Amino acid sequence: DAGVIQSPRHEVTEMGQEVTLRCKPISGHDYLFWYRQTMMRGLELLIYFNNNVPIDDSGMPEDRFSAKMPNASFSTLKIQPSEPRDSAVYFCASSLARAGNEQFFGPGTRLTVL
Amino acid sequence: AQTVTQSQPEMSVQEAETVTLSCTYDTSENNYYLFWYKQPPSRQMILVIRQEAYKQQNATENRFSVNFQKAAKSFSLKISDSQLGDTAMYFCAQGEAGNTPLVFGKGTRLSVIA
């Protein structure tokens, strides 16, 4: 298995632009998580899905952030408009319901908003 | 609310020596999982070891082992025969049963010195 795939690996954009991050979970996994990592706040959950349905989006900072999972093999995290404080590493992770909460992480997307 | 605390921001160890990383957590649940993840400079999050709270036996994975003290809510990681490749950030994480999001500590930066 290829593991969790994220794209792009790096993204540099200017303030006000729309940014879309992409994730392909491990085939067969039924949970998908989006985390954000910053120096100040560490790793924190943004949103997670079960069987493509959003379960908890309380970690999404504000309305500028949105996430979708149109099917079991694809999810997007969109920031519109982006701001410098959104600069961080964004991780996608997936897990299998019967596997005891063991989450497999993608390589992350490093986002820089100028 | 769940919290995970890693009290050692940085540690160093000589190659071939043993080092222990500390972690404490707080949860009101009785059934949960604990994890140690390694994040090398590549920023990939790699699962090192996991522990189910209902198991009394401490988990081991080759040179990595844990000391799980449920009553004290303590979950330390011991690395034996440290290798240069063990140099990384180490994150302790806790998740409730049922594939809930993980709560991470702030991390411990471990340097293995030749």
Side-chain angles (χ1 to χ4, degrees):
Chain A
D1 200 318
V4 177
I5 299 172
Q6 289 188 248
S7 64
R9 293 293 307 276
H10 305 273
E11 178 79 31
V12 179
T13 190
E14 293 190 347
M15 184 173 62
Q17 297 298 306
E18 177 179 297
V19 175
T20 299
L21 311 182
R22 297 172 175 80
C23 175
K24 176 179 169 56
I26 292 173
S27 177
H29 281 194
D30 41 15
Y31 282 83
L32 184 139
F33 305 83
W34 283 100
Y35 293 93
R36 180 172 67 175
Q37 184 179 33
T38 62
M39 289 293 292
M40 290 297 294
R41 300 173 66 89
L43 275 153
E44 54 184 352
L45 176 78
L46 296 176
I47 185 171
Y48 79 102
F49 297 83
N50 176 218
N51 291 324
N52 315 336
V53 176
I55 303 301
D56 183 357
D57 66 354
S58 59
M60 297 285 262
E62 48 199 89
D63 292 345
R64 297 185 297 107
F65 285 68
S66 62
K68 295 181 179 180
M69 193 166 185
N71 57 63
S73 58
F74 184 65
S75 177
T76 59
L77 178 67
K78 184 177 294 186
I79 309 173
Q80 165 65 19
S82 58
E83 297 182 1
R85 58 189 168 130
D86 302 330
S87 296
V89 178
Y90 291 81
F91 285 101
C92 175
S94 70
S95 68
L96 191 60
R98 64 177 184 273
N101 213 348
E102 182 171 336
Q103 296 182 17
F104 296 83
F105 282 74
T109 296
R110 179 176 293 281
L111 173 65
T112 302
V113 183
L114 303 174
Chain B
Q2 302 163 252
T3 59
V4 177
T5 302
Q6 294 179 249
S7 59
Q8 305 150 314
E10 294 188 23
M11 296 189 72
S12 62
V13 62
Q14 292 282 2
E15 195 175 9
E17 297 295 309
T18 296
V19 64
T20 298
L21 280 55
S22 301
C23 173
T24 58
Y25 60 93
D26 191 20
T27 179
S28 59
E29 300 294 323
N30 193 49
N31 190 17
Y32 53 88
Y33 299 86
L34 295 162
F35 305 88
W36 279 97
Y37 280 87
K38 169 185 177 181
Q39 186 178 41
S42 66
R43 80 166 179 257
Q44 177 72 52
M45 294 288 286
I46 302 165
L47 179 65
V48 175
I49 199 166
R50 59 174 278 177
Q51 174 82 42
E52 292 90 341
Y54 62 86
K55 289 186 177 180
Q56 292 187 338
Q57 187 173 6
N58 288 325
T60 62
E61 286 287 342
N62 301 313
R63 297 183 295 108
F64 299 88
S65 62
V66 299
N67 183 3
F68 173 47
Q69 301 289 329
K70 190 172 184 178
K73 296 183 179 176
S74 171
F75 183 61
S76 60
L77 174 70
K78 185 172 80 171
I79 306 175
S80 303
D81 185 25
S82 297
Q83 300 175 359
L84 296 177
D86 295 333
T87 293
M89 283 289 289
Y90 286 81
F91 293 94
C92 179
Q94 187 240 336
E96 310 295 340
N99 289 78
T100 59
L102 298 180
V103 175
F104 289 86
K106 295 295 187 187
T108 295
R109 184 177 301 279
L110 177 67
S111 298
V112 180
I113 303 167

